């Protein structure tokens, strides 16, 4: 049922969106949807996640290339190798940011150098730094893959361009999390 639900939700969202009076559409066969949403994740699992960037490239290209504006169908040419490069660089950045925070946490907890009243800070501060590092890397991967995807999208007489910045997106993510935390969740909407 899941592929059918995915296909129907993408169709619903597309058909209820319009640009200059023309409605978008999504047209994919259930068999293709099953292959992308069930077959490919099995391959990712069997390879212990090593081909995850390939899966993301194929899934995003599938969704975009089955959309259309009016009767004009979109195409999407993205290279899985470029996705691999983005994910590898993202992993390196994540390790460069998280390893020092983890070492700081280990040092603070092992040395017990902090007074008992603030000993929680030895755990909380590095954990906050790790989550911030994750947000930065997530923003980096999202911005780069989005730019890659939309710069590879096309249609007859249509070209797309995307220049989403990772730093701006990271600031947006972190700012939203801080705003949600400060307002006890009231700013989630």
């Amino acid at each position: 049922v899941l592929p059918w639900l995915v296909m129907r939700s993408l169709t619903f969202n597309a058909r209820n969106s319009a640009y200059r009076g023309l409605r978008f559409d999504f047209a994919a066969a259930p068999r293709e949807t099953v292959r992308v949403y069930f077959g490919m994740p099995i391959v990712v699992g069997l390879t212990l996640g090593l081909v995850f960037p390939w899966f993301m490239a194929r899934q995003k290209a599938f969704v975009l290339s089955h959309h259309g504006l009016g009767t004009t169908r979109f195409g999407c040419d993205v290279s899985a190798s470029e996705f691999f490069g983005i994910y590898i660089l993202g992993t390196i950045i994540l390790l460069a940011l998280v390893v020092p925070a983890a070492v700081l946490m280990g040092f603070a907890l092992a040395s017990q150098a902090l007074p008992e009243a603030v000993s929680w800070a030895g755990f909380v501060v590095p954990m906050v730094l790790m989550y911030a590092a994750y947000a930065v890397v997530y923003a980096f991967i999202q911005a780069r893959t989005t730019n890659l995807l939309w710069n590879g999208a096309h249609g007859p007489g249509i070209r797309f361009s995307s220049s989403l910045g990772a730093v701006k997106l990271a600031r947006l993510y972190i700012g939203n999390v801080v705003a949600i935390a400060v307002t006890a969740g009231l700013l989630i909407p």
Side-chain angles (χ1 to χ4, degrees):
V1 175
L2 181 65
W4 181 82
L5 288 173
V6 168
M7 191 176 66
R8 295 305 304 156
S9 69
L10 288 168
T11 302
F12 176 83
N13 288 339
R15 290 183 181 167
N16 286 293
S17 301
Y19 175 72
R20 294 188 179 188
L22 288 176
R23 294 226 173 258
F24 287 91
D25 191 20
F26 180 81
R31 172 179 255 165
E32 290 176 288
T33 309
V34 167
R35 182 181 56 81
V36 170
Y37 285 91
F38 275 115
M40 289 182 180
I42 289 171
V43 173
V44 171
L46 291 174
T47 62
L48 303 175
L50 292 176
V51 295
F52 183 74
W54 164 81
F55 166 68
M56 291 306 296
R58 297 290 62 91
Q59 182 190 41
K60 290 176 184 262
F62 166 81
V63 170
L64 190 58
S65 65
H66 285 83
H67 271 85
L69 179 61
T71 58
T72 302
R73 293 281 159 228
F74 298 146
C76 184
D77 302 321
V78 294
S79 166
S81 64
E82 290 180 273
F83 267 71
F84 271 101
I86 292 168
Y87 276 86
I88 289 169
L89 187 55
T91 301
I92 292 168
I93 294 169
L94 183 64
L95 289 174
L97 295 173
V98 168
V99 168
V103 168
L104 176 65
M105 180 188 293
F107 176 74
L109 295 176
S111 69
Q112 297 177 350
L114 296 172
E116 191 174 323
V118 291
S119 62
W120 56 269
F123 177 77
V124 172
V125 171
M127 191 59 69
V128 168
L129 292 174
M130 286 185 209
Y131 279 114
Y134 174 76
V136 167
V137 171
Y138 182 76
F140 169 79
I141 290 173
Q142 288 299 107
R144 291 285 175 97
T145 58
T146 298
N147 290 342
L148 186 62
L149 183 70
W150 282 105
N151 291 334
H154 55 84
I158 301 172
R159 273 306 214 186
F160 296 93
S161 178
S162 177
S163 59
L164 183 60
V167 173
K168 287 183 181 179
L169 193 57
R171 268 190 270 168
L172 179 69
Y173 287 159
I174 292 170
N176 286 347
V177 168
V178 169
I180 289 168
V182 168
T183 63
L186 292 175
L187 288 180
I188 288 175

